[in-house]
Amino acid sequence: MALFSKKNREVFTNPLNIDHPILGQVLGICSALAVTSQLKPAIVMGLAVTVITAFSNVIISIIRNTIPNRIRIVVQLVVVAALVTIVSQILKAFAYDVSVQLSVYVGLIITNCILMGRLEAFAMMNKPWPSFLDGVGNGLGYAMILVIVGAVRELLGRGTLLGLQVLPDGYVNNGMMTMPAMALILVGCVIWVHRAFFYKEK
């Protein structure tokens, strides 16, 4: 099927490996460090970015030929801001405790360079379906790092996952894992492993 052609599959899968937004392009690092002290907010933030990236890509792709070039960034920001507002209100309605934990970081999705980069580099030049796949792929790639870092930090820092006790009672929590600096170190380690696997010296 044309919907799942080789090109479309590559558009979806590339952001999950070699063109990963965080590991390959080193974008969106700030929020990746800020919301990963526990697994639950990391998962919610990852899903929020995935939904917003996918649908903002689709909307911009649909209207791309009607957007004057001189105001395209403004239009992109308005679309992303509208979607962020909707997602923020849904979180407050159905997952208020998580929305409090995420605090201002949901609002800062508006300025996330992954979103703006995909809108400018892909959605403005491609049709809606590939743009949707690109948005989902980049969002899931971003979410994957948040989940990995959030799981490691919560497990070693609190002995829990999703608030449930996992490690035995005798385990002494590693307080350093709850500090922002450890998030940076963990992301750095994941980037190191990723590049060692995907990038070979010539």
Side-chain angles (χ1 to χ4, degrees):
M1 292 178 63
L3 289 178
F4 299 101
S5 64
K6 181 180 179 181
K7 183 178 179 180
N8 284 343
R9 290 198 303 271
E10 288 177 353
V11 166
F12 175 74
T13 58
N14 281 352
L16 298 173
N17 45 67
I18 192 136
D19 290 329
H20 194 284
I22 292 179
L23 305 182
Q25 304 171 53
V26 197
L27 299 175
I29 290 288
C30 295
S31 56
L33 304 182
V35 302
T36 55
S37 61
Q38 295 183 57
L39 182 55
K40 189 175 181 180
I43 292 173
V44 172
M45 184 68 167
L47 290 175
V49 169
T50 300
V51 170
I52 292 169
T53 306
F55 285 99
S56 61
N57 264 16
V58 170
I59 293 169
I60 292 299
S61 176
I62 291 171
I63 65 174
R64 69 188 187 282
N65 293 325
T66 64
I67 302 174
N69 188 57
R70 65 184 182 277
I71 62 166
R72 69 187 190 284
I73 301 297
V74 175
V75 174
Q76 292 168 13
L77 284 171
V78 169
V79 170
V80 174
L83 290 171
V84 167
T85 302
I86 293 170
V87 168
S88 178
Q89 294 303 311
I90 291 173
L91 283 177
K92 287 179 181 178
F94 297 102
Y96 183 74
D97 57 330
V98 178
S99 72
V100 170
Q101 281 182 287
L102 292 175
S103 183
V104 299
Y105 297 109
V106 173
L108 289 176
I109 294 174
I110 296 170
T111 58
N112 191 311
C113 43
I114 296 173
L115 271 79
M116 300 308 298
R118 298 326 298 166
L119 292 176
E120 185 70 9
F122 198 92
M124 287 293 291
M125 296 180 287
N126 290 276
K127 294 181 179 180
W129 177 244
S131 297
F132 177 77
L133 293 177
D134 178 78
V136 172
N138 277 276
L140 290 178
Y142 170 85
M144 178 176 69
I145 300 304
L146 264 63
V147 168
I148 291 171
V149 175
V152 172
R153 291 182 70 193
E154 182 177 352
L155 182 64
L156 300 181
R158 305 170 189 268
T160 63
L161 282 176
L162 295 174
L164 303 174
Q165 189 68 35
V166 174
L167 297 181
D169 292 335
Y171 174 75
V172 178
N173 293 338
N174 185 343
M176 286 188 64
M177 280 293 171
T178 61
M179 299 173 64
M182 286 307 301
L184 180 61
I185 292 171
L186 287 172
V187 170
C189 290
V190 176
I191 291 175
W192 174 36
V193 172
H194 176 266
R195 295 200 173 190
F197 183 79
F198 282 105
Y199 297 88
K200 305 296 182 184
E201 292 287 343
K202 294 183 179 179

